[in-house]
Amino acid sequence: MLGIKHKLVKSVIVGAALLGSAMTMTACSSSSSKTTTVDFYNMKVEFKDQLNAAAATYNKTHKGVKVKVTSVGGGTDYQAALKAKMQSGKTPDIFALEGPQQLQTYKKYLSDVSAGKAIKKALPGTLNTVKSGSQVLGYPVLQEAIGIVYNKTIFQKAGIDASKITTMAAYENALKTLNDKKSELGIQAATAFPMKEWWVIGQHAVDPFLSQEFNGSVTKAYNAKTISWKNSDYFKQYIDATTKYSAQPVQSMDYSTQIEKLFSTGKVAMAEQGTWVYPTIESVDKNLAKDIGIIPIPVNSKSAGKLPVGVTQWWAVNKQADTKTQKASRDFLDWLFTSKTGKNIVLTKLKVVPAYSGFDSSKISDPLGKDAYSYISDKQTQGLVFGGFATGWAQNGMAPELQKYVSGKESWNTAIKNSQAAWETARAGQ
């Protein structure tokens, strides 16, 4: 009888302990459920520190929400990394779209954000790519320009007027002048061309030369089953001149060498890039960063003096996330693009050309952004179309052909023909 009583008491104690443990776990779960975590998968590594700081500011002033930013890009293929996350079931709550292809690829994950406060302030044309019927499937992040970033002081010393470089002949002459005066100017080379980076040569270098085929429309580029390469002769001139007068070896040069080691240290006078490079240049030399500008890559008379500008990225909200997380995601993006604090971050920290009304353009703080805004204001722009390129074409169909051509492994005509065939194959497989 005593043994039975002892076992009964022991059972009660163990049961109470288990119940207490369960209650503690429930309490912890309840406590953690009060915080809504927004996983933000950012593809612009140059925004890494700034977005982390923006998230920290937002988290402090918005109790119960934690925005967590993970940045992937640069030497890492963001879209491949995103696709891997999707397949693993670890879908982020906010992620980047680059064009129509991602809209199709991630269609089931795209939440309608048309009711967003910021969406109602989006500038004309910035939502065209992400519209599906009455739905809007992404927040335009910024307007960017692709072109030739140049050092104003070096140009002045060399006697070069950047505004006059509107033809291929003028571009080649500027390169030759800089090369001939290398010792006098204290530079290593006229320019730096990172042919190791597929996105520089396969997307950005190509864009101005293909834009006219599609009238500057990303949608037309996306729907094109083939490319005619009407401007291939001009493109050849550009590749030949840029590689000839570039710091060497171009085949192994990457983005970091081009911008951080060469341009930002004043060792070259030019670099084909875009408005996004300003934060990187500023981080290396603040004084040099104040004295730079951007001009169009010359193509032909039709595009003379026109800077390629457009929205190159949209932030999407994951429809598969719970309702609370979707709302928290939209709220953060609306705050970033409409609140006083958020807009200040966009202009002075991210240092971009906004894609929304309500911003004081006079506060655009970097010279590249100011130049781009000036071209936009003067209506001297042409549309960016690389967001509509056939899937994988820039990386696997165009860039490798250019690399083979520059290394002497194939002719220009072969490179162009192969790139056309690669486009048709890639488009047919979409």
Side-chain angles (χ1 to χ4, degrees):
M1 186 73 176
L2 183 62
I4 296 174
K5 185 176 181 181
H6 177 73
K7 288 180 180 179
L8 182 60
V9 171
K10 186 176 180 181
S11 297
V12 170
I13 292 172
V14 171
L18 291 172
L19 179 61
S21 177
M23 289 178 69
T24 300
M25 290 177 67
T26 303
C28 289
S29 176
S30 176
S31 176
S32 62
S33 68
K34 291 179 181 179
T35 298
T36 301
T37 300
V38 173
D39 289 318
F40 186 169
Y41 204 53
N42 165 49
M43 74 169 289
K44 294 186 74 62
V45 289
E46 59 269 32
F47 286 174
K48 178 182 176 181
D49 293 338
Q50 295 90 330
L51 284 178
N52 283 336
T57 298
Y58 187 80
N59 294 342
K60 285 179 183 178
T61 56
H62 294 74
K63 301 301 180 183
V65 177
K66 182 181 180 182
V67 177
K68 181 182 177 183
V69 181
T70 301
S71 296
V72 175
T76 303
D77 186 340
Y78 175 86
Q79 291 301 337
L82 176 61
K83 188 174 183 180
K85 283 187 76 69
M86 298 294 199
Q87 292 174 339
S88 71
K90 298 177 181 178
T91 311
D93 303 308
I94 300 175
F95 56 93
L97 307 173
E98 293 181 273
Q101 182 55 52
Q102 283 79 50
L103 254 70
Q104 295 303 314
T105 301
Y106 303 121
K107 192 173 183 179
K108 69 178 182 180
Y109 297 104
L110 304 180
S111 174
D112 179 14
V113 296
S114 57
K117 288 174 63 177
I119 297 301
K120 300 181 188 306
K121 294 179 177 293
L123 294 174
T126 60
L127 298 176
N128 290 350
T129 301
V130 289
K131 279 187 175 179
S132 178
S134 62
Q135 295 187 332
V136 176
L137 303 175
Y139 285 75
V141 180
L142 73 167
Q143 296 187 87
E144 291 185 308
I146 289 173
I148 298 166
V149 179
Y150 69 99
N151 185 308
K152 291 182 179 180
T153 297
I154 296 176
F155 265 47
Q156 186 176 13
K157 289 181 179 177
I160 299 172
D161 182 350
S163 68
K164 302 295 184 183
I165 305 177
T166 58
T167 65
M168 196 58 67
Y171 174 64
E172 290 179 294
N173 186 58
L175 288 168
K176 185 177 185 304
T177 299
L178 290 165
N179 182 70
D180 292 345
K181 296 182 177 182
K182 280 191 300 186
S183 298
E184 177 187 337
L185 298 171
I187 59 176
Q188 181 179 323
T191 189
F193 199 33
M195 292 207 69
K196 183 179 179 181
E197 302 286 12
W198 67 267
W199 51 276
V200 174
I201 58 176
Q203 283 185 333
H204 299 164
V206 172
D207 192 285
F209 298 89
L210 283 185
S211 181
Q212 291 175 24
E213 291 194 27
F214 311 119
N215 295 320
S217 168
V218 174
T219 303
K220 288 183 179 180
Y222 180 69
N223 290 326
K225 295 181 179 179
T226 187
I227 48 176
S228 64
W229 263 122
K230 295 176 182 178
N231 288 316
S232 65
D233 289 344
Y234 291 108
F235 190 38
K236 180 180 185 299
Q237 283 182 268
Y238 175 70
I239 295 295
D240 288 348
T242 307
T243 54
K244 178 181 179 180
Y245 292 108
S246 173
Q248 300 295 326
V250 293
Q251 290 91 340
S252 60
M253 187 183 297
D254 59 12
Y255 170 84
S256 177
T257 300
Q258 179 202 31
I259 297 300
E260 295 176 16
K261 297 180 181 179
L262 294 173
F263 185 83
S264 298
T265 58
K267 292 178 181 176
V268 298
M270 291 191 280
E272 182 217 297
Q273 275 296 338
T275 47
W276 56 84
V277 300
Y278 177 78
T280 302
I281 298 170
E282 184 189 37
S283 71
V284 177
D285 189 329
K286 290 184 179 181
N287 290 326
L288 186 149
K290 295 175 183 176
D291 201 35
I292 59 177
I294 186 168
I295 55 176
I297 295 171
V299 179
N300 53 27
S301 58
K302 187 176 180 180
S303 66
K306 292 184 179 180
L307 189 69
V309 174
V311 177
T312 55
Q313 185 183 151
W314 295 260
W315 282 330
V317 173
N318 180 18
K319 187 167 65 174
Q320 303 295 329
D322 61 68
T323 304
K324 194 175 180 181
T325 303
Q326 288 186 53
K327 183 180 185 304
S329 300
R330 292 193 303 270
D331 287 347
F332 172 70
L333 295 178
D334 284 334
W335 170 84
L336 187 64
F337 294 122
T338 65
S339 73
K340 184 178 179 180
T341 302
K343 289 191 293 184
N344 184 59
I345 289 171
V346 170
L347 285 177
T348 65
K349 302 300 180 183
L350 300 184
K351 297 179 179 178
V352 301
V353 178
Y356 302 88
S357 62
F359 283 80
D360 183 353
S361 59
S362 67
K363 291 184 179 179
I364 296 175
S365 57
D366 76 272
L368 301 183
K370 287 181 179 179
D371 279 358
Y373 189 78
S374 178
Y375 278 96
I376 294 169
S377 299
D378 294 340
K379 297 182 179 179
Q380 290 297 307
T381 64
Q382 66 178 31
L384 292 176
V385 297
F386 70 82
F389 287 177
T391 304
W393 178 77
Q395 183 175 9
N396 305 314
M398 186 74 253
E401 298 303 323
L402 292 174
Q403 290 163 343
K404 290 175 189 176
Y405 167 69
V406 169
S407 62
K409 294 180 180 177
E410 68 183 22
S411 69
W412 180 257
N413 286 340
T414 298
I416 290 299
K417 287 180 180 178
N418 286 348
S419 74
Q420 288 175 313
W423 179 290
E424 292 167 10
T425 300
R427 186 65 85 209
Q430 287 180 186

